[in-house]
Amino acid sequence: MNDKWDQRFLKIAQEVSTWSKDPSTKCGAVVTRGKTIVSLGFNGFPAGCEDSKELYEDRTVKYARVIHAEINAILSAKQDLTGCTIYVYPLPPCSQCAAAIIQSGINTVIAPPPSDALEGRWGSSTHQATKMYQEAGVLLLCEDMLLNNKGTI
């Protein structure tokens, strides 16, 4: 894969994130095999479940119901994802999504770099995810590394 395609797929993940009804965090994911899109996902409630504004505004209810973009993309693929790449926007995957990514056989994760905002709510989970990728041999690339050709974190 080259940087031009990586940037294209990150832009698609960014667009897919806008499909989420979550008023506070809109996330998108794109799973690819080479230059082919295998699956898309955004954060939201399960298909067929009520997804009113009121439910999203109640954090307790939202966190109990929401499926993260990465999980939605994996579930929607309905095929073996061994060797695929997942592009995630705007945050790197949490530890639970990392576990699903690893189990699915995806071997590369490309996401924007962790921001200072992650140190609060999602910092610990994102750090745990990074350790899990290292243990499992999954390559994690951040967008700024693609732009600067710096390699992996």
Side-chain angles (χ1 to χ4, degrees):
M1 191 59 60
N2 63 43
D3 293 347
K4 179 172 74 172
W5 280 97
D6 292 331
Q7 291 302 317
R8 287 176 178 168
F9 290 134
L10 274 173
K11 286 180 183 176
I12 294 170
Q14 182 177 9
E15 175 62 27
V16 171
S17 75
T18 68
W19 303 348
S20 173
K21 290 185 176 183
D22 188 332
S24 63
T25 308
K26 297 179 180 296
C27 296
V30 177
V31 177
T32 65
R33 182 175 282 111
K35 295 179 183 177
T36 302
I37 293 174
V38 173
S39 185
L40 305 171
F42 55 91
N43 58 316
F45 297 160
C49 292
E50 181 184 348
D51 62 351
S52 67
K53 182 179 178 181
E54 294 75 30
L55 291 175
Y56 278 103
E57 289 174 347
D58 181 330
R59 281 181 118 48
T60 303
V61 171
K62 178 176 83 169
Y63 288 148
R65 288 178 163 236
V66 76
I67 300 174
H68 289 187
E70 301 91 330
I71 304 295
N72 264 328
I74 290 167
L75 293 172
S76 294
K78 297 186 181 1
Q79 62 180 281
D80 181 21
L81 300 178
T82 300
C84 285
T85 297
I86 189 165
Y87 296 83
V88 182
Y89 182 88
L91 306 168
C94 69
S95 61
Q96 290 299 302
C97 289
I101 288 166
I102 293 165
Q103 285 298 99
S104 74
I106 291 171
N107 65 5
T108 305
V109 178
I110 299 180
S115 69
D116 292 339
L118 282 178
E119 290 308 316
R121 190 178 329 154
W122 294 104
S124 175
S125 185
T126 301
H127 292 300
Q128 195 62 257
T130 300
K131 290 179 187 177
M132 293 165 62
Y133 295 137
Q134 291 170 345
E135 293 169 12
V138 172
L139 182 63
L140 173 62
L141 296 173
C142 290
E143 183 179 21
D144 60 345
M145 294 174 182
L146 296 173
L147 297 172
N148 298 321
N149 281 329
K150 291 183 180 174
T152 63
I153 60 173

